[in-house]
Amino acid sequence: MTEPVLYAERGASWWPVLWGPAFALVGVAVELLTPGPRHLVAWLLLAGALAAAATVWVYGRRKVCSVRLTPTNLAVGREVLEVERIAAATDVGAPVGARVLGGGWTAPKGTGEVPLRLTDDRVVLAWARDPESLVTALRRLLREE
């Protein structure tokens, strides 16, 4: 049985995979509308190469930059923290050198830090693109309201 998801961020959407083929389509259109040689095979290969590179990038972002909160787990990037280990999500200061969840040295660009006090009194930093919504979901789950 799957748990309900209380908060989620995907990390990236799949639409950037279409950038390469769209660029190649514009290139083909320009070549068809102007005199000169046609390089349809080259544009097709370029579209495939750019789509493949974007697919790798999106897949990596979805693995490393996603956030998911369920009643039992908080998954931040590649790291999963059991909710029962979280003591507080509000009024927690972020000390210098606090460990960032997810396996990185810092929170990903475009995200805000969410300091969490653990049951062993350590402070770790979760992160999210919408940190207020994550804190609200955590407060409801921890009954801090």
Side-chain angles (χ1 to χ4, degrees):
M1 187 167 156
T2 61
E3 293 185 295
V5 177
L6 306 174
Y7 180 82
E9 291 179 1
R10 288 189 311 241
S13 66
W14 286 105
W15 71 269
V17 174
L18 299 176
W19 293 348
F23 173 74
L25 187 61
V26 170
V28 167
V30 168
E31 279 194 352
L32 290 175
L33 294 174
T34 58
R38 309 285 189 253
H39 302 97
L40 298 178
V41 173
W43 284 115
L44 198 62
L45 291 173
L46 179 66
L50 291 175
T55 299
V56 171
W57 179 79
V58 168
Y59 180 76
R61 294 271 308 173
R62 288 178 75 93
K63 277 278 205 216
V64 175
C65 296
S66 63
V67 178
R68 182 179 168 104
L69 176 65
T70 66
T72 57
N73 292 319
L74 171 62
V76 181
R78 297 174 285 167
E79 190 168 348
V80 177
L81 177 68
E82 296 83 16
V83 171
E84 65 188 23
R85 292 186 55 208
I86 302 172
T90 55
D91 298 328
V92 178
V96 175
R99 188 173 68 84
V100 178
L101 295 177
W105 291 101
T106 62
K109 184 178 179 182
T111 63
E113 295 176 345
V114 178
L116 302 173
R117 183 169 313 285
L118 302 180
T119 54
D120 61 3
D121 213 31
R122 286 185 302 141
V123 175
V124 294
L125 296 176
W127 42 263
R129 271 185 253 136
D130 185 3
E132 292 82 20
S133 295
L134 178 59
V135 168
T136 301
L138 278 165
R139 284 179 58 203
R140 271 191 238 119
L141 194 58
L142 299 172
R143 293 169 182 80
E144 289 186 359
E145 294 182 313

